[in-house]
Amino acid sequence: MAVTVRYALPILNGRVAPLPTSAETLLLVDRENGGCLTDQVPLEDPTIVDILALLRECGADVFVCCGIDRSARGDIAAAGIEVMENVACSAAEAIAAIGDERLQSGFGLYQDALMSRGSGAGSGTQAATARHAAECLVFGGQSCPGADHCPLGEAAVAEEGEWAHTMLEASLDVVLERERQLCRLSEVVYFCLEMKYRTLGIAFCSDLEEPARIAATVLKRFFTVVGVCCKTGTGHPQKSPRPCNPLGQARVLNLARCDLVILIGLCVGADCVLTKACKAPVTTLFVKDRVLANNPIGAVYSNRYLKETLRARPSA
């Protein structure tokens, strides 16, 4: 007697949606004797409650998703529906994998990329390391199962120099406080004091000049502070728009012999250039996000901005 297993997949732009609630359709895939029959149910800004009700109504056996929070996962599992998570692929790839019984949690995150890359290097150790790196994104939201015996961590420790040990020790002194009382700005101060730094550089975006000035007044109580705007050396102040000059910023900070460079609001790309060009170590204090009130982490919890990001296209 043939047994049919029904899979339900939230789909956005032809791929498994990053969050179930960001999906535009729910793809139903029935696997029977190696073959697949599909159907789609339209969704309109669904909640997890809506999705769970639909899964029950459709008689789903397995819910396939990418990211999902613990509460939603628990509710779906409590309804007797298996949750297969961290799946990142197109709908067509998922259907093919269901037909071949290859679909599993983590599908698409690493099988075609990291695992083959590790195997192609001709080293069993490299392949195992690649698999372990991928599993860091597939452990289901629980504590890392390989924390005590992580091949990545062991390799990193072996390659560290004395400078890294010193810096990490200072970092631990700050982050292992018994009660969380230090904001990010305070952590920077305590870390720099632990490291016995004297001169700090601030590379800031002109859009965040006010918070950069306030941060500088705090830091000047403890250190010599050298600030440099992203528009440095780019021409007349009234000319608009003026390009950013991260190389110029790095040049100024290198000449000042800064012990540490602090980034405040530099654009994506400009921060990469400056970080590469700076001789001193670099840390980020504030990140600029013009849409999300300088809180970019909000995008991964927003259906609207996830959809917007997934619709992005490269410029011509």
Side-chain angles (χ1 to χ4, degrees):
M1 180 178 178
V3 177
T4 300
V5 179
R6 172 161 285 191
Y7 293 77
L9 302 83
I11 301 297
L12 175 64
N13 292 334
R15 298 183 62 83
V16 177
L19 290 176
T21 51
S22 67
E24 295 173 328
T25 60
L26 186 69
L27 174 65
L28 301 175
V29 182
D30 291 340
R31 177 173 59 78
E32 181 178 336
N33 298 330
C36 290
L37 295 175
T38 65
D39 192 13
Q40 292 197 54
V41 179
L43 300 173
E44 186 173 349
D45 296 325
T47 65
I48 284 295
V49 173
D50 297 331
I51 291 174
L52 179 54
L54 189 55
L55 294 176
R56 285 172 168 156
E57 180 183 333
C58 295
D61 301 297
V62 183
F63 182 58
V64 180
C65 58
C66 187
I68 186 170
D69 64 53
R70 297 185 185 185
S71 176
R73 186 195 310 117
D75 290 343
I76 294 172
I81 302 170
E82 178 187 346
V83 178
M84 191 177 290
E85 59 188 316
N86 295 308
V87 173
C89 63
S90 68
E93 290 169 331
I95 293 170
I98 289 171
D100 297 339
E101 299 186 42
R102 293 182 292 111
L103 196 66
Q104 59 180 319
S105 291
F107 182 87
L109 277 180
Y110 65 95
Q111 283 89 342
D112 297 332
L114 286 174
M115 287 183 69
S116 61
R117 189 183 305 166
S119 300
S123 166
T125 301
Q126 288 177 323
T129 299
R131 282 194 298 272
H132 193 91
E135 288 165 1
C136 285
L137 285 175
V138 189
F139 63 81
Q142 306 300 316
S143 296
C144 174
D148 295 331
H149 304 287
C150 175
L152 302 178
E154 292 165 5
V157 170
E159 296 170 3
E160 285 173 3
E162 184 61 33
W163 64 271
H165 283 289
T166 302
M167 196 170 287
L168 290 174
E169 285 292 330
S171 175
L172 284 175
D173 288 342
V174 174
V175 301
L176 293 183
E177 54 178 331
R178 293 183 180 180
E179 296 182 6
R180 295 303 302 165
Q181 296 179 338
L182 299 181
C183 66
R184 178 78 175 195
L185 180 57
S186 297
E187 285 191 354
V188 169
V189 171
Y190 277 86
F191 172 75
C192 292
L193 289 174
E194 285 275 337
M195 291 296 296
K196 298 180 172 56
Y197 290 156
R198 295 185 177 182
T199 303
L200 305 185
I202 295 181
F204 66 95
C205 170
S206 57
D207 291 344
L208 271 68
E209 181 174 350
E210 181 181 8
R213 287 186 180 279
I214 295 171
T217 61
V218 174
L219 295 172
K220 283 179 180 179
R221 296 175 65 88
F222 307 93
F223 315 98
T224 298
V225 176
V226 178
V228 56
C229 177
C230 62
K231 306 300 184 183
T232 184
T234 58
H236 194 278
Q238 301 304 317
K239 184 180 179 181
S240 183
R242 294 160 62 200
C244 294
N245 185 15
L247 286 176
Q249 287 178 290
R251 188 176 301 114
V252 171
L253 298 170
N254 288 339
L255 288 173
R257 298 187 178 183
C258 295
D259 297 305
L260 180 75
V261 171
I262 299 169
L263 302 188
I264 294 183
L266 294 195
C267 296
V268 175
D271 56 355
C272 299
V273 172
L274 184 140
T275 301
K276 188 175 181 64
C278 275
K279 295 179 180 179
V282 179
T283 190
T284 299
L285 181 56
F286 307 139
V287 176
K288 178 175 62 182
D289 191 312
R290 296 181 178 91
V291 174
L292 296 175
N294 299 326
N295 179 36
I297 197 172
V300 301
Y301 298 106
S302 165
N303 293 333
R304 173 185 173 185
Y305 292 112
L306 281 176
K307 289 181 180 180
E308 178 183 278
T309 301
L310 290 173
R311 291 192 180 101
R313 297 288 184 271
S315 57

